[in-house]
PDB file of all heavy atoms in Angstrom:
ATOM      1  N   LEU A 102     221.225-140.287  15.366  1.00  0.00           N
ATOM      2  CA  LEU A 102     221.478-138.893  15.514  1.00  0.00           C
ATOM      3  C   LEU A 102     221.142-138.251  14.129  1.00  0.00           C
ATOM      4  O   LEU A 102     221.656-138.564  13.138  1.00  0.00           O
ATOM      5  CB  LEU A 102     223.003-138.710  15.733  1.00  0.00           C
ATOM      6  CG  LEU A 102     223.449-137.249  15.890  1.00  0.00           C
ATOM      7  CD1 LEU A 102     222.718-136.502  16.960  1.00  0.00           C
ATOM      8  CD2 LEU A 102     224.950-137.223  16.050  1.00  0.00           C
ATOM      9  N   GLN A 129     206.158-135.225  17.650  1.00  0.00           N
ATOM     10  CA  GLN A 129     206.233-133.787  17.934  1.00  0.00           C
ATOM     11  C   GLN A 129     206.688-132.978  16.744  1.00  0.00           C
ATOM     12  O   GLN A 129     207.388-133.531  15.921  1.00  0.00           O
ATOM     13  CB  GLN A 129     207.272-133.619  19.055  1.00  0.00           C
ATOM     14  CG  GLN A 129     206.999-134.459  20.336  1.00  0.00           C
ATOM     15  CD  GLN A 129     208.247-134.536  21.166  1.00  0.00           C
ATOM     16  OE1 GLN A 129     209.361-134.226  20.790  1.00  0.00           O
ATOM     17  NE2 GLN A 129     208.043-134.965  22.435  1.00  0.00           N
ATOM     18  N   ASN A 132     212.261-129.127  14.686  1.00  0.00           N
ATOM     19  CA  ASN A 132     213.497-129.316  13.911  1.00  0.00           C
ATOM     20  C   ASN A 132     214.283-130.401  14.695  1.00  0.00           C
ATOM     21  O   ASN A 132     214.703-130.214  15.794  1.00  0.00           O
ATOM     22  CB  ASN A 132     214.306-128.013  13.842  1.00  0.00           C
ATOM     23  CG  ASN A 132     215.595-128.168  13.044  1.00  0.00           C
ATOM     24  OD1 ASN A 132     216.022-129.321  12.625  1.00  0.00           O
ATOM     25  ND2 ASN A 132     216.290-127.115  12.891  1.00  0.00           N
ATOM     26  N   TYR A 133     214.554-131.502  13.989  1.00  0.00           N
ATOM     27  CA  TYR A 133     215.210-132.624  14.655  1.00  0.00           C
ATOM     28  C   TYR A 133     216.678-132.740  14.375  1.00  0.00           C
ATOM     29  O   TYR A 133     217.295-133.638  14.820  1.00  0.00           O
ATOM     30  CB  TYR A 133     214.459-133.957  14.271  1.00  0.00           C
ATOM     31  CG  TYR A 133     213.069-133.894  14.882  1.00  0.00           C
ATOM     32  CD1 TYR A 133     212.004-133.441  14.088  1.00  0.00           C
ATOM     33  CD2 TYR A 133     212.816-134.266  16.186  1.00  0.00           C
ATOM     34  CE1 TYR A 133     210.748-133.392  14.578  1.00  0.00           C
ATOM     35  CE2 TYR A 133     211.520-134.195  16.706  1.00  0.00           C
ATOM     36  CZ  TYR A 133     210.509-133.758  15.882  1.00  0.00           C
ATOM     37  OH  TYR A 133     209.244-133.660  16.395  1.00  0.00           O
ATOM     38  N   GLN A 134     217.209-131.795  13.624  1.00  0.00           N
ATOM     39  CA  GLN A 134     218.630-131.794  13.395  1.00  0.00           C
ATOM     40  C   GLN A 134     219.434-131.755  14.693  1.00  0.00           C
ATOM     41  O   GLN A 134     219.144-130.890  15.482  1.00  0.00           O
ATOM     42  CB  GLN A 134     219.020-130.652  12.470  1.00  0.00           C
ATOM     43  CG  GLN A 134     220.461-130.745  11.992  1.00  0.00           C
ATOM     44  CD  GLN A 134     220.764-129.837  10.830  1.00  0.00           C
ATOM     45  OE1 GLN A 134     219.902-129.265  10.227  1.00  0.00           O
ATOM     46  NE2 GLN A 134     222.013-129.681  10.511  1.00  0.00           N
ATOM     47  N   GLY A 135     220.359-132.703  14.862  1.00  0.00           N
ATOM     48  CA  GLY A 135     221.158-132.689  16.027  1.00  0.00           C
ATOM     49  C   GLY A 135     220.510-133.469  17.175  1.00  0.00           C
ATOM     50  O   GLY A 135     221.098-133.598  18.236  1.00  0.00           O
ATOM     51  N   GLU A 136     219.275-133.943  16.994  1.00  0.00           N
ATOM     52  CA  GLU A 136     218.574-134.671  18.060  1.00  0.00           C
ATOM     53  C   GLU A 136     218.780-136.188  17.834  1.00  0.00           C
ATOM     54  O   GLU A 136     219.103-136.677  16.825  1.00  0.00           O
ATOM     55  CB  GLU A 136     217.106-134.360  17.998  1.00  0.00           C
ATOM     56  CG  GLU A 136     216.787-132.888  18.162  1.00  0.00           C
ATOM     57  CD  GLU A 136     217.132-132.274  19.497  1.00  0.00           C
ATOM     58  OE1 GLU A 136     217.337-133.043  20.419  1.00  0.00           O
ATOM     59  OE2 GLU A 136     217.245-131.038  19.556  1.00  0.00           O
ATOM     60  N   LEU A 137     218.497-136.904  19.016  1.00  0.00           N
ATOM     61  CA  LEU A 137     218.564-138.353  19.018  1.00  0.00           C
ATOM     62  C   LEU A 137     217.080-138.800  18.880  1.00  0.00           C
ATOM     63  O   LEU A 137     216.186-138.415  19.570  1.00  0.00           O
ATOM     64  CB  LEU A 137     219.173-138.894  20.296  1.00  0.00           C
ATOM     65  CG  LEU A 137     220.604-138.625  20.502  1.00  0.00           C
ATOM     66  CD1 LEU A 137     221.051-139.145  21.864  1.00  0.00           C
ATOM     67  CD2 LEU A 137     221.389-139.396  19.404  1.00  0.00           C
ATOM     68  N   VAL A 138     216.833-139.684  17.844  1.00  0.00           N
ATOM     69  CA  VAL A 138     215.546-140.164  17.576  1.00  0.00           C
ATOM     70  C   VAL A 138     215.599-141.693  17.599  1.00  0.00           C
ATOM     71  O   VAL A 138     216.550-142.288  16.946  1.00  0.00           O
ATOM     72  CB  VAL A 138     215.034-139.729  16.193  1.00  0.00           C
ATOM     73  CG1 VAL A 138     213.657-140.293  15.896  1.00  0.00           C
ATOM     74  CG2 VAL A 138     214.970-138.209  16.119  1.00  0.00           C
ATOM     75  N   VAL A 157     211.439-139.762  20.606  1.00  0.00           N
ATOM     76  CA  VAL A 157     212.326-138.674  20.312  1.00  0.00           C
ATOM     77  C   VAL A 157     212.818-138.195  21.629  1.00  0.00           C
ATOM     78  O   VAL A 157     212.066-137.950  22.576  1.00  0.00           O
ATOM     79  CB  VAL A 157     211.577-137.508  19.541  1.00  0.00           C
ATOM     80  CG1 VAL A 157     212.468-136.284  19.395  1.00  0.00           C
ATOM     81  CG2 VAL A 157     211.101-137.966  18.218  1.00  0.00           C
ATOM     82  N   THR A 158     214.122-137.981  21.745  1.00  0.00           N
ATOM     83  CA  THR A 158     214.742-137.374  22.953  1.00  0.00           C
ATOM     84  C   THR A 158     215.316-136.042  22.621  1.00  0.00           C
ATOM     85  O   THR A 158     216.331-135.968  21.905  1.00  0.00           O
ATOM     86  CB  THR A 158     215.789-138.305  23.486  1.00  0.00           C
ATOM     87  OG1 THR A 158     215.314-139.592  23.694  1.00  0.00           O
ATOM     88  CG2 THR A 158     216.432-137.819  24.825  1.00  0.00           C
ATOM     89  N   LEU A 159     214.558-134.951  23.033  1.00  0.00           N
ATOM     90  CA  LEU A 159     215.071-133.626  22.699  1.00  0.00           C
ATOM     91  C   LEU A 159     216.086-133.225  23.679  1.00  0.00           C
ATOM     92  O   LEU A 159     216.045-133.438  24.860  1.00  0.00           O
ATOM     93  CB  LEU A 159     213.876-132.633  22.691  1.00  0.00           C
ATOM     94  CG  LEU A 159     212.777-132.902  21.648  1.00  0.00           C
ATOM     95  CD1 LEU A 159     211.617-131.946  21.824  1.00  0.00           C
ATOM     96  CD2 LEU A 159     213.337-132.803  20.259  1.00  0.00           C
ATOM     97  N   ALA A 160     217.085-132.477  23.151  1.00  0.00           N
ATOM     98  CA  ALA A 160     218.198-132.017  23.927  1.00  0.00           C
ATOM     99  C   ALA A 160     217.742-130.844  24.832  1.00  0.00           C
ATOM    100  O   ALA A 160     216.855-130.148  24.579  1.00  0.00           O
ATOM    101  CB  ALA A 160     219.315-131.512  23.057  1.00  0.00           C
TER     102      ALA A 160
END
Side-chain angles (χ1 to χ4, degrees):
L102 177 60
Q129 303 165 343
N132 179 357
Y133 295 93
Q134 187 165 348
E136 302 296 340
L137 291 173
V138 178
V157 177
T158 306
L159 296 175

